[in-house]
Amino acid sequence: MCIKLSSLTASLFLFFLLLANSSFAQSINIRRLGGTLVVAVPVQDGLVACSDKRLFNEAAKTFRDDFVKINKVDNNALFVATHTVGFLDKATGKMEFNVFDITARYVSQHSFTTGRPFWDGLKKEIRDQLLQYLSKRKYQDWPATDIANNKLLFNLVFYAVAARSIRSYSISVFYEKAPTPVVYVQDPVSQIVRTPQLTGKGKAVMNYLARNPQLSSDPSILRFDQTYFNAGKTTTADAVNFAKKLFFLANTALPQAEVSATFDCALLSYQNGFQWLD
């Protein structure tokens, strides 16, 4: 879902995806993973997408900063995921339910299209995999419902370029712990991407900037204001440097967000397709 912002935050970006993470209740054997910030910026050559690399274990309060969250779909598309991207099994220490693996496997078997058959198939695969995961565990070990975020489990966002146009497709998955679990996978919400977008911990970053106008007035940030932003005058390096500032800010000023200062970036080029950026 894309929300229009008001006051100071609106002066920084026209759009951002309000997909904020939060703390979850601890279950007996299942440990949730959370903490992500994704920065997507239209540029001269296409779209730059950057994501931090932290994989945070909310229950154990431990993390690693080497997890790649940007996934190639094909030469013209990629996907990212935020919120609860998986569950760690306490006994094995492995991520038994992994949003990235499930989605990557699906897109490897189905050519990416924007039509309903592709999305309906993906929605069914996600729902089936989650129900299968739960069926193998005792009810008391199931993850708790995230009441604070309206039962949101995770958000899956695809970015695609075509004919010098950029679109995003956002799918929200909701889960409620009940004897018969409730799993609802929303239809994708699509929009044209004309200005920078933040997903995951974007709300926390935007709120911090709103409280610190001296940062938001920094020329290197202000140029991404909706009033001044011009994708045609924004280079790949500009976008990466902007993302770097936000990751550093989130890591140092917002430690509770659990966003790493280390990050990956990829370019969806109009001319050359998907490319990893150093």
Side-chain angles (χ1 to χ4, degrees), residues 61-77:
K61 304 301 180 184
T62 59
F63 62 84
R64 45 183 278 212
D65 283 345
D66 61 353
F67 190 78
V68 178
K69 300 178 182 178
I70 297 173
N71 291 260
K72 178 180 179 180
V73 174
D74 59 24
N75 208 37
N76 298 306

Side-chain angles (χ1 to χ4, degrees), residues 72-88:
K72 178 180 179 180
V73 174
D74 59 24
N75 208 37
N76 298 306
L78 59 82
F79 76 85
V80 295
T82 66
H83 216 58
T84 302
V85 299
F87 301 121
L88 281 179

Side-chain angles (χ1 to χ4, degrees), residues 7 25 40 51 65 68-69 79 123 125 131 150 168 197 249 256 270-271:
S7 69
S51 177
D65 283 345
V68 178
K69 300 178 182 178
F79 76 85
K123 288 169 54 182
E125 182 67 14
L131 291 176
N150 298 317
S168 66
Q197 292 184 342
L249 173 66
Q256 71 277 12
Y270 295 128
Q271 299 292 330

Side-chain angles (χ1 to χ4, degrees), residues 137-181:
R137 287 157 179 82
K138 296 179 180 178
Y139 177 74
Q140 61 266 31
D141 295 342
W142 291 2
T145 306
D146 182 8
I147 300 296
N149 282 281
N150 298 317
K151 305 177 184 179
L152 177 68
L153 186 62
F154 64 87
N155 287 286
L156 191 61
V157 185
F158 287 73
Y159 289 100
V161 298
R164 303 196 68 81
S165 176
I166 307 165
R167 296 197 74 93
S168 66
Y169 304 85
S170 178
I171 295 176
S172 297
V173 178
F174 299 88
Y175 155 78
E176 180 180 355
K177 182 179 179 180
T180 300

Side-chain angles (χ1 to χ4, degrees), residues 190-218:
S190 176
Q191 69 176 61
I192 298 175
V193 180
R194 295 189 176 95
T195 57
Q197 292 184 342
L198 305 183
T199 63
K201 292 294 185 177
K203 182 181 180 182
V205 173
M206 298 297 288
N207 286 342
Y208 183 82
L209 288 172
R211 297 192 303 270
N212 295 272
Q214 72 277 12
L215 291 176
S216 61
S217 60
D218 180 330

